[in-house]
Amino acid sequence: MRNILLLILLTAFLFGCSSREEPPEAQVQEPAERKWWKEGVLYQIYPQSFKDTDGDGFGDFRGVIEKLDYIESLGIKMVWMNPFFESPLIDNGYDVADYRAIHPRYGTMADFDEMLAGFKDRDIRFVLDVVVNHSSDQHPWFQSASSSRDSEYFNYYHWWLAENGDPPYRYSLFDPEGGWDYVEAVDAYYLHTFAEAQPDLNWENPELRQEVYDIMKFWAEKGVDGFRMDAFQFASKDTTYPEFPEGHEKDFIKWYGMRPQLHDYLKEMYAEVLEPFDVFAVAEGAGSTLQDAHDLVDADRKELQTAYHFEYVDMSRTPAGYELADFKEVFTRWDSAFAENGWLAVFLSNHDNSRLVNRFGNADPEFRRVSTQMLNTFLLTMRGTPYTYYGDELGMTNIDMPEIEEYVDIDAIGKYQTALKAGRDMEDFMEELNYSSRENGRTPMQWDTTENAGFTTGTPWKRVNDNYRQINVAVEDADPNSVLNHFRQMTRLRNENLVLVYGEYDLILDDHEQIYAYTRSLDEDKMLILLNFSDEDADASLPSSIVPGEILYNNYDSNPAEGSSVLLRPYQAVVFQMNE
Ligand code: NOJ
């Protein structure tokens, strides 16, 4: 029974899901208080897959430097880069062995400084990934801690002493064997929420907390503008380790995350680092309720500026797909909960997911272009800071990987082992994995039509998608109708219209099965957004109060509105100025 539950969990890659509840009462903060981290579009770079300049097959900082003008041309205002620190790379860098050193694969600290200066010259803010729920087991703290109970670092980690018997079961997201591992030298078990090689840090220990703040100050002094707090909702544990009920894993966040002390740590971090250095922080995960998310990000709490939750990406993780009605409901519920107070990021895709167009759109060559444009239009017209993952500005797609031998990701391999153990039909399982694996989202950036898509002159660490000759920056740059050029049009529209950032969001045509339609309004400025989420024409009658005016964005040539009637082509996306 436990295996089946674990499998469901692993399949969903459940870092978060939110129960349905009423939005909490409005509190004190005005969401319209202007901030750069609300207004700018964020672009996420997975550095090992972006651009290689030394031919080792891994992307590097010099590759990013080479592409700074391209990045600027996207109209984005912030970059979040996944971890590039010294690491044994068991989880592609989410296992840090030295938080102040650069992994040589990416270059040197001088390269980092040059890259950061290049972003600053272009008014692009830089967000660093801070991985401090856990370290690598190769970090000197853990190496020392696991050698003797007398080590000054022993209390930097969570231990269950063997003389107390077997540790109470704890779930691990990456390890089918569970969350404890035994170390003979100290005759104790250490806790790991993720892989065995990612021991959880002990945030109850003030010395550990101070170490983390010092690391953050080191990077803030270098000039980084923000921090993305990896898996931080798990940083505080119930260290009395009570027994959890059978099946509790399906509410993983509820049982393992968002312990009350987390808020004390965040307030301390805010006072020590965020406020004095005037930097912002975004939490990966926002708890399991709307109130959890408010507790993290409401301004008067002085904890974090923003967070992102997983409820809408969770609905897209299996080939069964999602219902537009649910998608609308989730976005509308979260929007209304944060209409008065707090601010969230909005994303549909990142390095932990397969490609945007495969999950939410239609990757079939007939519809790939228009459906990605439609999804990007959605992302860039919602309230909340839009996070775009590299390659989604081109409409990059999943890569077909039917054989387990090709997988290198610890998450995929863990899921495979769990499925085997649970006796699952492995053909079914591989079909699911091929669709949902996060390896799909990590293939090399497609720059041009030359070998390896211009990503590397060597052997790429990961196979380049076969479709790179059609889908790449060079080809799309030259095509005014490409996903890329439409992405640029949409960021320009957002950058020039505060209504798309701060304006109120109102859902219309609520029950329409193909069309997602809403208005955004800020004082007199009103826009109407019509999106056809289906591969067929879709018609509707607009309410009499909604009068479409000038078209500001359209991914087809045809105007879909005639009076109050609209007829949208497959995946058509249109933004109208509204007339009174
Ligand atoms: C969340 C990150 O996004 C994911 O890539 C990583 O594997 C886990 N945290 C562990 O750090």
Side-chain angles (χ1 to χ4, degrees), residues 15 91 94 134 174 194 198 228 230 284 351-352 438 442:
F15 289 175
D91 184 17
Y94 281 96
H134 47 271
F174 287 166
F194 294 90
Q198 294 168 300
R228 177 255 186 198
D230 181 72
E284 184 209 19
H351 65 291
D352 289 329
R438 56 188 195 169
R442 298 178 176 187

Side-chain angles (χ1 to χ4, degrees), residues 13 15 44 46 80 82-83 91-95 129 131 133-134 173-174 194-195 198 228 230-231 234 284 308 310 350-352 409-411 438 442:
F13 194 62
F15 289 175
Q44 185 190 341
Y46 198 65
W80 150 32
N82 293 92
D91 184 17
N92 280 355
Y94 281 96
D95 47 326
D129 216 321
V131 191
N133 167 69
H134 47 271
L173 278 155
F174 287 166
F194 294 90
Q198 294 168 300
R228 177 255 186 198
D230 181 72
F234 304 119
E284 184 209 19
Y308 60 84
F310 302 95
N350 67 15
H351 65 291
D352 289 329
D409 177 28
I410 190 165
D411 174 50
R438 56 188 195 169
R442 298 178 176 187

